[in-house]
Amino acid sequence: MSAESGHGSNNRVYRGTYDSDTPIIIRMPRRKSDTERTAYATWEFKHTMVASRLGVAPIVYDSWYNRHSTKKQKSGLYLVQEYFPTDLFNAFDEYQEEVIDNKQKLETLIESHLRKLADAEMLAYDLKPANIVVRFDDNIDLKIIDFGREFCEHSPSMTSDEKDRRTPMTTIAK
């Protein structure tokens, strides 16, 4: 595992490799992380997995919950996920040409991901450039991160009548 490559208010992110050639990130909780609480860790894991299965969030390779802190591991939720070299916030500086040249593709990917979340009745409302990770290579890819309890709602139990009354995405002004 290498040096810290990112962080949020509740976690630190380290870059590593799996099987010597698959780049990954390992997200580790900070001291006093929200995910120290079992309910918060369960919420974030569940919604991260839903988003990952939809292709909206990075692939989750492994995860675990450490109930009690030890010398080697703090308590909280750990995630091993697909590696993305930057977030959209930093991409404006680090990959300025790629962002400008691929503006339409990035917009399309963001819109597609938001539609997938909406269709799955999930609302992520901490959307900001720092919570959108990007990879610029032969096939540009972009994913949304941070599905913690304070930033995500999910209502998969809506009745079909409630779903019919929902405002269709096509009527929202672009």
Side-chain angles (χ1 to χ4, degrees):
M1 186 167 48
S2 65
E4 184 175 341
S5 65
H7 60 85
S9 58
N10 285 301
N11 58 71
R12 295 180 189 272
V13 178
Y14 296 88
R15 183 172 177 199
T17 56
Y18 177 73
D19 282 342
S20 303
D21 62 346
T22 303
I24 58 169
I25 60 99
I26 303 165
R27 196 194 87 169
M28 300 177 171
R30 289 176 173 254
R31 191 170 152 323
K32 304 227 183 225
S33 165
D34 286 350
T35 67
E36 284 182 344
R37 295 183 214 147
T38 306
Y40 282 49
T42 302
W43 180 276
E44 187 161 348
F45 170 74
K46 176 184 170 187
H47 295 93
T48 299
M49 288 303 297
V50 168
S52 180
R53 287 182 181 141
L54 291 171
V56 171
I59 296 167
V60 177
Y61 296 114
D62 199 0
S63 64
W64 65 94
Y65 174 73
N66 194 33
R67 185 178 190 93
H68 302 288
S69 289
T70 66
K71 287 182 181 182
K72 293 187 177 189
Q73 290 186 344
K74 293 179 175 62
S75 62
L77 177 65
Y78 290 75
L79 292 170
V80 179
Q81 292 182 284
E82 177 182 15
Y83 170 73
F84 282 78
T86 191
D87 59 48
L88 196 54
F89 180 80
N90 289 313
F92 291 121
D93 286 331
E94 298 168 5
Y95 297 91
Q96 189 174 31
E97 279 187 44
E98 289 89 341
V99 170
I100 292 168
D101 291 347
N102 296 289
K103 179 181 173 277
Q104 185 62 48
K105 172 76 172 173
L106 295 170
E107 289 174 356
T108 300
L109 284 168
I110 292 169
E111 182 179 354
S112 171
H113 290 343
L114 293 176
R115 284 180 187 275
K116 287 177 188 175
L117 288 174
D119 288 344
E121 298 162 16
M122 186 182 298
L123 174 65
Y125 43 88
D126 191 27
L127 291 173
K128 57 189 177 191
N131 284 344
I132 299 173
V133 292
V134 187
R135 179 175 36 237
F136 294 100
D137 55 17
D138 295 337
N139 188 18
I140 295 168
D141 202 4
L142 168 148
K143 303 290 182 184
I144 298 171
I145 59 171
D146 201 350
F147 297 93
R149 187 172 182 141
E150 295 179 0
F151 309 113
C152 179
E153 296 291 332
H154 190 210
S155 300
S157 59
M158 281 180 150
T159 67
S160 58
D161 184 49
E162 288 172 319
K163 290 178 186 177
D164 290 342
R165 289 190 305 227
R166 218 173 55 174
T167 304
M169 287 290 289
T170 55
T171 62
I172 296 174
K174 289 188 175 189

